Amino acid sequence: MGKASTVKENRFTKRREPFNFMLWLGMGGSVLIFTILLAVYVMRKSAGVYWTDVPLPTLFWISTFAITTSSFTLHLANLSLKADRYPEFRRYIAATLFLGVLFVILQFLGWRQLILMGISTVNNPSAGFIYLFSGLHIFHILIGIGVLGWAVYQSLKNSTYIDAFVFSVNPPNQLKIRLITIYWHFVDVLWLYLFAFLLYHHGL
């Protein structure tokens, strides 16, 4: 009796989920953009012309705590959904959305701190990069807030146990939640890297 023949699937040619691929492609593009901007920052600072390091807004620390905590609450939301604990899922996904909105508010208030200290892009390009990096990251966060808003809406819409169960086992919905989770963790890690970079060059 001969052995059943098996064909090993080629990981380079196998069909991939298009939305997952698009997400990773978009995140790769974002990393490339920020890498270029960080390189420009280093070169511009090395030139030293009209450059004075300015302290980061203290509210950036609080916003960093908020965005880091939001990744934790999103992780708990995923665990709750997989364990069929839908009330907990609703609370954790709503908490993630709230912390994302709070992050944006704190970032804008951090900008206000800089403005009140008389720090602007006019008198110091160093400050200009702070506005640029945080502003571009806020754009990414707003995209995440939009999709999190959809998840919160769905969690409230499917309020009964049966509706929530049907929602959770639906493959397209599972994919959306998974992609939202990947993207939100990405923007969290991206900010931690940017904040560490700015903190190294600017300090408090």
Side-chain angles (χ1 to χ4, degrees):
M1 186 175 181
K3 294 182 178 179
S5 61
T6 57
V7 179
K8 187 176 180 181
E9 187 176 28
N10 190 321
R11 65 189 182 92
F12 294 106
T13 59
K14 71 176 182 178
R15 184 182 182 277
R16 301 179 186 277
E17 208 294 317
F19 291 109
N20 185 61
F21 176 74
M22 290 170 59
L23 174 63
W24 284 99
L25 187 64
M27 291 190 301
S30 295
V31 170
L32 179 60
I33 291 173
F34 276 104
T35 300
I36 294 173
L37 291 175
L38 291 173
V40 173
Y41 175 99
V42 172
M43 290 186 294
R44 183 67 179 81
K45 182 177 181 178
S46 299
V49 181
Y50 304 112
W51 185 283
T52 303
D53 288 332
V54 297
L56 292 178
T58 54
L59 285 174
F60 274 21
W61 281 96
I62 304 176
S63 68
T64 301
F65 176 77
I67 195 66
T68 303
T69 305
S70 72
S71 274
F72 179 66
T73 57
L74 183 56
H75 175 67
L76 293 178
N78 277 273
L79 292 179
S80 300
L81 188 63
K82 292 176 181 177
D84 297 337
R85 298 193 300 266
Y86 303 116
E88 292 183 16
F89 169 73
R90 295 186 189 98
R91 288 196 294 268
Y92 286 129
I93 199 71
T96 305
L97 176 61
F98 169 78
L99 290 169
V101 174
L102 179 62
F103 173 84
V104 174
I105 294 173
L106 290 170
Q107 290 278 294
F108 283 132
L109 291 177
W111 288 7
R112 185 172 180 271
Q113 280 186 328
L114 291 176
I115 294 172
L116 291 177
M117 288 187 294
I119 300 172
S120 67
T121 59
V122 176
N123 54 24
N124 193 346
S126 173
F129 277 100
I130 295 178
Y131 291 116
L132 176 62
F133 290 148
S134 59
L136 188 56
H137 182 262
I138 286 174
F139 172 75
H140 286 72
I141 287 290
L142 290 176
I143 296 174
I145 287 175
V147 293
L148 279 172
W150 170 86
V152 171
Y153 170 75
Q154 292 297 324
S155 71
L156 297 175
K157 176 184 175 183
N158 299 285
S159 56
T160 66
Y161 182 88
I162 297 299
D163 289 339
F165 176 77
V166 172
F167 172 83
S168 67
V169 298
N170 184 278
N173 292 332
Q174 291 177 342
L175 173 64
K176 290 174 184 176
I177 296 297
R178 184 168 68 252
L179 296 182
I180 290 171
T181 302
I182 292 173
Y183 181 78
W184 195 256
H185 288 327
F186 165 73
V187 294
D188 183 3
V189 172
L190 179 61
W191 172 251
L192 290 177
Y193 180 81
L194 289 173
F195 184 64
F197 178 89
L198 293 172
L199 190 63
Y200 174 79
H201 289 277
H202 292 262
L204 282 174

